[in-house]
């Protein structure tokens, strides 16, 4: 059971693992809301490069859990994609220096209320980070102190787990070459690391005060799509390891390569590196590999994903003539997970007459799912290079249909004659819908069609720095760690996040490079809206979001997420919950969705093309035009 030896060094005496984890008292801890944090706990081993990880459970008698562990190798001295989108000054970014080690990067961080016992059995919220090739689970952006503190104050304490897994080439290299190397399954190492993390939690989180039978996965961007993959995995049908999921602005990938296609890509990468064998690829230094294969992601290896996974990402109408079985009977293990509730108001029992019970038949776990109004700002810089003529040519080439292309052009006001100063904004809207908003809506509707409890939200609240609801703006409110524009020393939660991470980091540059196969594109942070950020006398210092507006959205979002982790219906299932703009929060009728997103236009412009073509178009436009010397 956990015992606090002193205010600075809390300890968990883990009976099952026969060790003591010595952590730290979080900087946001208070007498009324004590918060402890255990950092860098190893949860799995990596036997070799491009090998599946295994659960780790052999610890020394005393484990120093006061420092963050190594992260997966990635390009150094770069802002995370969240920091870039936030448009923060360098002085506003807490400095973190974290070691990189592909064989020791599988570690987790536990933030929890203080003085818990193994009988506490608190809900466990597991954050899956995004960022593809430049993200990690120990980022200050999603430190759990503020969210756990809020959970204590509202009387629904939770445990928050963040963790590292393999990314980029280390996490997603695949191909027949690896299978012939003696492996039964290849690729998706990062996804399988995440699955191993859940196994570790099921085995060992109890002594930290957590309930292994009440785990909520939540994530954003590529991390959110990883959760989608877990929901649609074969193992989730037979042995689910989490109870519910929160999907925030998932960057969906419909055109996932199979092993053969992934092998071709891997061969091209090896040729670029002048390597001819997998043994040579395994032997090369990790620092030399981080710049290659940075766009590698999930592969359809015929093992991890269920055979019908694409049906859940396609428009609902495309299923009307499908007669194959979708296994509508809930597996016994999943039924047990879904029936678990800590409150008298379980998921599915919202006041709405259309709500369903938690025990109903369903393909997978209950979902809370939504997106931000301007998620495509993630790709704003490469998109800004398009000219009207070039964009029109590219869209025509992808669509391969004059009538369908013209419908698309009319819907998004794109043509070879659109003013170049207007084309970027129009393409941003198209990419936003093609890569995130439309797939999110398709997945939500398909999940609801199959009997799953689905709660839909839209996040239209402006980011505190940039005045727009950009990709990852919701993280600023949910985790409450980003400094306000008028102060670089105080976190919005009222305490310095700098204190939590002091002495643990490195400076970040003002730009980063995006690798798109053979091309490198340089990105820069989004420029702030001077009119919204400046004061009446033309100076800086006035925040783009009023403090009451920020507080209202932050408090509502945190409370909804926490309630969902307790098995409660966060709001009526037949409603849409809105966050913003300008501090607006609350349930709204489904009709409001038409005004917030372009569902009617999607049916007209996207459905005739199909998800495969729309996704391909969105990806190509988001990469920007080919660069010429």
């Amino acid at each position: 059971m956990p015992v606090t030896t002193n205010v600075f060094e809390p300890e968990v005496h883990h009976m099952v693992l026969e060790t003591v984890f010595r952590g730290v008292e979080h900087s946001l801890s208070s007498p009324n809301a004590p918060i402890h944090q255990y950092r860098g706990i190893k949860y799995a081993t990596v036997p070799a490069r491009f090998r599946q990880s295994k659960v780790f459970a052999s610890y020394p008698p005393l484990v120093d859990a006061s420092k963050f562990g190594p992260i997966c190798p990635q390009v150094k001295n770069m802002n995370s994609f969240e920091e870039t989108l936030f448009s923060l000054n360098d002085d506003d970014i807490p400095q973190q220096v974290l070691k990189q080690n592909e064989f020791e990067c599988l570690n987790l961080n536990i933030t929890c209320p203080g003085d818990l016992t193994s009988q506490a059995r608190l809900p466990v919220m597991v954050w899956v980070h995004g960022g593809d090739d430049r993200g990690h689970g120990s980022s200050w952006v999603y430190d759990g102190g503020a969210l756990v503190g809020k959970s204590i104050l509202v009387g629904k304490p939770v445990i928050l787990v963040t963790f590292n897994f393999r990314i980029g080439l280390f996490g997603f290299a695949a191909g027949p070459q690896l299978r012939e190397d003696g492996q039964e399954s290849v690729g998706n190492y990062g996804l399988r690391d995440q699955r191993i993390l859940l196994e570790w939690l099921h085995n060992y989180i109890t002594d930290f005060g957590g309930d292994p039978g009440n785990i909520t996965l939540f994530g954003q961007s590529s991390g959110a799509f990883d959760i989608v993959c877990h929901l649609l995995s074969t193992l989730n049908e037979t042995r689910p390891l989490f109870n519910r999921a929160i999907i925030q602005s998932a960057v969906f990938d419909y055109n996932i390569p199979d092993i053969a296609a992934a092998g071709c890509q891997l061969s091209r990468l090896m040729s670029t590196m002048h390597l001819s064998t997998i043994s040579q690829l395994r032997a090369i230094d990790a620092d030399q590999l981080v710049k290659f294969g940075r766009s590698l992601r999930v592969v359809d290896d015929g093992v991890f994903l269920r055979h019908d996974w694409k049906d859940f990402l396609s428009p609902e109408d495309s299923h009307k003539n499908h007669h194959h079985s979708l296994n509508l009977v809930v597996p016994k293990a999943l039924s047990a997970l879904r029936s678990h509730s800590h409150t008298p108001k379980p998921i599915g029992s919202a006041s709405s007459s259309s709500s369903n019970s938690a025990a109903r038949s369903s393909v997978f776990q209950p979902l809370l799912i939504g997106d931000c109004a301007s998620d495509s700002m993630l790709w704003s810089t490469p998109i800004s290079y398009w000219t009207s003529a070039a964009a029109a040519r590219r869209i025509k080439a992808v669509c391969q249909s004059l009538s369908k292309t013209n419908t698309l052009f009319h819907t998004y006001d794109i043509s070879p004659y659109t003013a170049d100063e207007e084309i970027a904004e129009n393409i941003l809207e198209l990419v936003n819908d093609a890569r995130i908003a439309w797939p999110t809506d398709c997945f939500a509707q398909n999940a609801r069609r199959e009997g799953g409890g689905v709660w839909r939200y839209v996040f239209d609240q402006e980011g505190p720095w940039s005045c727009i609801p950009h990709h990852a703006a919701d993280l600023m409110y949910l985790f409450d760690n980003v400094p306000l524009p008028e102060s670089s020393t105080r976190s919005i939660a009222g305490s310095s996040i700098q204190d939590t991470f002091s002495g643990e980091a490195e400076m970040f540059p003002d730009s980063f490079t995006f690798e798109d196969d053979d091309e490198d594109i340089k990105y820069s942070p989004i420029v702030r809206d001077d009119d919204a950020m400046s004061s009446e006398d033309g100076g800086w210092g006035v925040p783009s979001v009023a403090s009451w507006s920020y507080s209202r959205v932050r408090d509502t979002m945190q409370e909804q997420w926490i309630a969902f982790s307790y098995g409660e219906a966060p709001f009526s299932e037949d409603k849409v919950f809105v966050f913003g703009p300008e501090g607006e929060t609350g349930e709204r009728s489904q009709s409001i969705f038409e005004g917030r997103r372009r569902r009617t236009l999607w049916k007209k412009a996207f459905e005739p093309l199909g998800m495969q073509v729309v996704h391909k178009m969105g990806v190509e436009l988001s990469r920007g035009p080919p660069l010429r010397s």
Side-chain angles (χ1 to χ4, degrees), residues 363-438:
V363 174
F364 40 65
Q365 297 89 325
L367 304 178
L368 177 58
I369 182 170
D371 59 348
C372 298
S374 300
D375 275 315
S376 59
M377 292 304 295
L378 177 63
W379 304 287
S380 61
T381 298
I383 287 175
S384 69
Y385 293 123
W386 282 108
T387 63
S388 298
R393 285 196 303 270
R394 175 46 44 191
I395 293 172
K396 288 179 181 178
V398 174
C399 292
Q400 295 288 305
S401 167
L402 183 59
S403 62
K404 295 176 183 178
T405 300
N406 286 337
T407 300
L408 195 71
F409 282 173
H410 178 74
T411 301
Y412 290 93
D413 194 16
I414 294 173
S415 79
Y417 311 106
T418 303
D420 284 343
E421 59 268 20
E422 298 175 4
I423 193 65
E425 181 177 351
N426 298 347
I427 294 176
L428 280 169
E429 291 184 353
L430 173 55
V431 169
N432 190 85
D433 291 355
R435 297 204 65 179
I436 296 181
W438 187 49

Side-chain angles (χ1 to χ4, degrees), residues 519-580:
E519 300 168 329
D520 288 345
I521 302 174
K522 189 164 180 144
Y523 284 58
S524 298
I526 299 168
V527 178
R528 302 190 189 94
D529 185 331
D530 291 358
D531 292 333
M533 291 294 299
S534 61
S535 63
E536 293 182 0
D537 62 0
W540 289 86
V542 178
S544 63
V545 176
S547 59
W548 69 266
S549 176
Y550 177 88
S551 298
R552 182 175 182 176
V553 173
R554 174 199 63 196
D555 293 343
T556 303
M557 190 174 195
Q558 289 180 337
E559 290 167 13
Q560 295 279 24
W561 267 229
I562 292 167
F564 190 71
S565 76
Y566 264 79
E568 297 181 16
F571 46 88
S572 299
E573 195 175 349
D574 64 344
K575 304 290 186 181
V576 173
F577 202 93
V578 301
F579 297 97

Side-chain angles (χ1 to χ4, degrees), residues 258-580:
D258 59 17
I259 292 296
C264 291
Q265 187 174 7
L266 182 61
S267 295
R268 289 195 298 270
L269 288 172
M270 292 175 62
S271 177
T272 301
M273 293 182 278
H274 306 290
L275 304 176
S276 58
T277 67
I278 294 298
S279 297
Q280 291 174 329
L281 185 60
R282 282 207 169 98
I284 195 170
D285 188 82
D287 289 338
Q288 300 180 46
L289 288 181
V290 293
K291 61 182 179 180
F292 296 101
R294 291 161 56 188
S295 61
L296 295 182
R297 283 286 293 147
V298 181
V299 296
D300 188 358
D301 61 357
V303 177
F304 191 89
L305 296 171
R306 47 190 292 169
H307 70 89
D308 58 353
W309 66 269
K310 282 193 173 184
D311 290 341
F312 292 91
L313 307 187
S314 301
E316 189 174 11
D317 287 349
S318 66
H319 305 295
K320 289 183 177 179
N321 297 320
H322 286 197
H323 301 289
H324 59 269
S325 171
L326 287 178
N327 187 22
L328 295 181
V329 178
V330 186
K332 291 183 179 180
L334 183 53
S335 297
L337 284 178
R338 290 175 58 85
S339 64
H340 187 99
S341 175
H342 291 264
T343 74
K345 185 181 180 184
I347 276 181
S349 64
S351 58
S352 166
S353 60
S354 66
S355 298
N356 303 306
S357 68
R360 65 188 166 192
S361 295
S362 173
V363 174
F364 40 65
Q365 297 89 325
L367 304 178
L368 177 58
I369 182 170
D371 59 348
C372 298
S374 300
D375 275 315
S376 59
M377 292 304 295
L378 177 63
W379 304 287
S380 61
T381 298
I383 287 175
S384 69
Y385 293 123
W386 282 108
T387 63
S388 298
R393 285 196 303 270
R394 175 46 44 191
I395 293 172
K396 288 179 181 178
V398 174
C399 292
Q400 295 288 305
S401 167
L402 183 59
S403 62
K404 295 176 183 178
T405 300
N406 286 337
T407 300
L408 195 71
F409 282 173
H410 178 74
T411 301
Y412 290 93
D413 194 16
I414 294 173
S415 79
Y417 311 106
T418 303
D420 284 343
E421 59 268 20
E422 298 175 4
I423 193 65
E425 181 177 351
N426 298 347
I427 294 176
L428 280 169
E429 291 184 353
L430 173 55
V431 169
N432 190 85
D433 291 355
R435 297 204 65 179
I436 296 181
W438 187 49
T440 294
D441 196 52
C442 290
F443 184 67
Q445 292 196 56
N446 288 328
R448 182 173 284 129
R449 183 197 72 238
E450 301 298 342
V454 178
W455 286 263
R456 192 77 165 86
Y457 76 89
V458 291
F459 192 91
D460 297 343
Q461 176 70 9
E462 305 84 354
W465 283 86
S466 61
C467 304
I468 55 176
H470 57 75
H471 194 66
D474 51 337
L475 304 190
M476 305 169 82
Y477 292 84
L478 178 61
F479 289 103
D480 197 22
N481 291 325
V482 178
L484 285 169
E486 75 270 22
S487 172
S488 62
T489 59
R490 179 178 64 83
S491 80
I492 298 171
S495 178
S496 174
I497 197 68
Q498 297 271 10
D499 295 341
T500 303
F501 295 91
S502 60
E504 292 213 4
E506 56 193 335
M507 296 303 294
F508 300 88
D510 293 331
S511 62
F512 62 92
T513 300
F514 171 84
E515 180 184 336
D516 179 10
D517 296 330
D518 299 326
E519 300 168 329
D520 288 345
I521 302 174
K522 189 164 180 144
Y523 284 58
S524 298
I526 299 168
V527 178
R528 302 190 189 94
D529 185 331
D530 291 358
D531 292 333
M533 291 294 299
S534 61
S535 63
E536 293 182 0
D537 62 0
W540 289 86
V542 178
S544 63
V545 176
S547 59
W548 69 266
S549 176
Y550 177 88
S551 298
R552 182 175 182 176
V553 173
R554 174 199 63 196
D555 293 343
T556 303
M557 190 174 195
Q558 289 180 337
E559 290 167 13
Q560 295 279 24
W561 267 229
I562 292 167
F564 190 71
S565 76
Y566 264 79
E568 297 181 16
F571 46 88
S572 299
E573 195 175 349
D574 64 344
K575 304 290 186 181
V576 173
F577 202 93
V578 301
F579 297 97

Side-chain angles (χ1 to χ4, degrees), residues 158-274:
V158 300
I159 291 176
L160 178 62
V161 176
T162 61
F163 67 106
N164 291 300
F165 52 90
R166 285 174 288 177
I167 58 177
L169 185 67
F170 306 98
F172 294 95
Q177 310 95 309
L178 297 176
R179 177 175 290 161
E180 293 169 0
D181 198 40
Q183 298 194 66
E184 295 182 2
S185 60
V186 298
N188 296 329
Y189 306 112
L191 283 177
R192 295 180 187 277
D193 292 344
Q194 296 166 15
R195 174 85 185 181
I196 291 293
L197 175 278
L198 292 173
E199 291 188 12
W200 191 97
L201 292 176
H202 268 263
N203 293 333
Y204 307 121
I205 196 61
T206 300
D207 278 8
F208 287 91
D211 184 353
N214 189 14
I215 294 176
T216 298
L217 283 185
F218 69 129
Q220 188 257 0
S221 197
S222 61
F225 184 65
D226 287 350
I227 296 175
V228 171
C229 291
H230 287 295
L231 287 166
L232 297 176
S233 68
T234 55
L235 286 174
N236 194 50
E237 292 185 281
T238 57
R239 187 169 173 260
L241 293 179
F242 58 99
N243 301 72
R244 58 196 68 85
I246 304 175
I247 297 170
Q248 302 174 223
S249 297
V251 179
F252 284 83
D253 192 351
Y254 185 84
N255 300 321
I256 294 176
D258 59 17
I259 292 296
C264 291
Q265 187 174 7
L266 182 61
S267 295
R268 289 195 298 270
L269 288 172
M270 292 175 62
S271 177
T272 301
M273 293 182 278
H274 306 290

Side-chain angles (χ1 to χ4, degrees), residues 5-67:
T5 57
N6 58 58
V7 69
F8 300 108
E9 295 184 328
E11 293 182 351
V12 167
H13 292 251
H14 205 291
M15 306 301 292
V16 177
L17 293 173
E18 298 182 340
T19 188
V20 175
F21 294 99
R22 180 173 293 167
V24 297
E25 186 173 48
H26 198 280
S27 64
L28 297 182
S29 183
S30 68
N32 293 330
I35 305 171
H36 297 167
Q37 195 168 62
Y38 301 90
R39 303 170 174 172
I41 298 175
K42 185 174 182 177
Y43 69 85
T45 59
V46 180
R49 182 175 293 168
F50 312 137
R51 296 289 191 185
Q52 304 297 351
S53 57
K54 300 179 180 180
V55 172
F56 181 78
S58 179
Y59 300 90
L62 177 64
V63 176
D64 180 7
S66 64
K67 298 179 181 179

